[in-house]
Amino acid sequence: MKRDVSQRGATTAIFVYGTLLQGEGNHDLLARAEFLGPMRTAPRFSLHDLGGFPGLVAGGEHAVEGEVYIIGPDTLARLDQLEGHPRFYRRAPLALEDGTTVETYLLPRNRVEGRPVIPSGSWRARRRERVA
């Protein structure tokens, strides 16, 4: 595992669930991050298909699959820029299935109106379904 050691300052544990996952298009932004492993959220969210990327919304009833990384301030700034924080996505605390609290990027419910829910809570599974 590579750690974001070249960056000074506090580190952040971040939960990713879409295009930042390993093998997805934006994962290169996490190249210097420490991978902690696959994780799931507590079953309090809904994951929506927005076409080329998913949107996570608080207040649902699904557990969402993702990965957790430890990142430094430079990587956090790059992720904030990618996600349009705080204008589009909002970085916020999130409870994982094991009770750990990390940060993630959430969308307000009004941004996902009319968009399909991904009941499996897995962006990768949804992408496979769309290809099949």
Side-chain angles (χ1 to χ4, degrees):
M1 288 184 239
K2 298 179 216 169
R3 187 163 173 123
D4 228 349
V5 292
S6 66
Q7 300 180 19
R8 291 192 168 78
T11 60
T12 301
I14 193 92
F15 176 82
V16 300
Y17 53 86
T19 66
L20 289 163
L21 293 166
Q22 291 178 12
E24 296 291 331
N26 289 317
H27 182 71
D28 60 324
L29 292 171
L30 295 171
R32 295 172 47 209
E34 179 181 354
F35 176 59
L36 295 185
M39 306 275 180
R40 290 170 53 96
T41 68
R44 294 185 221 136
F45 299 90
S46 60
L47 189 64
H48 295 260
D49 187 338
L50 302 175
F53 58 94
L56 184 63
V57 177
E61 57 189 39
H62 299 116
V64 174
E65 294 179 7
E67 298 167 348
V68 174
Y69 293 85
I70 299 294
I71 60 173
D74 293 345
T75 299
L76 184 61
R78 286 192 296 273
L79 296 183
D80 282 352
Q81 182 177 13
L82 172 72
E83 304 294 7
H85 168 72
R87 293 172 318 283
F88 190 72
Y89 283 92
R90 181 170 297 272
R91 185 167 30 89
L94 168 120
L96 295 175
E97 191 173 53
D98 68 1
T100 304
T101 299
V102 297
E103 297 278 307
T104 198
Y105 293 94
L106 298 173
L107 283 177
R109 188 157 299 284
N110 67 340
R111 292 211 191 256
V112 299
E113 286 179 11
R115 299 301 198 140
V117 172
I118 303 170
S120 69
S122 171
W123 175 243
R124 286 183 176 133
R126 176 63 169 199
R127 285 179 23 99
R128 285 191 300 268
E129 291 168 4
R130 290 193 334 209
V131 171

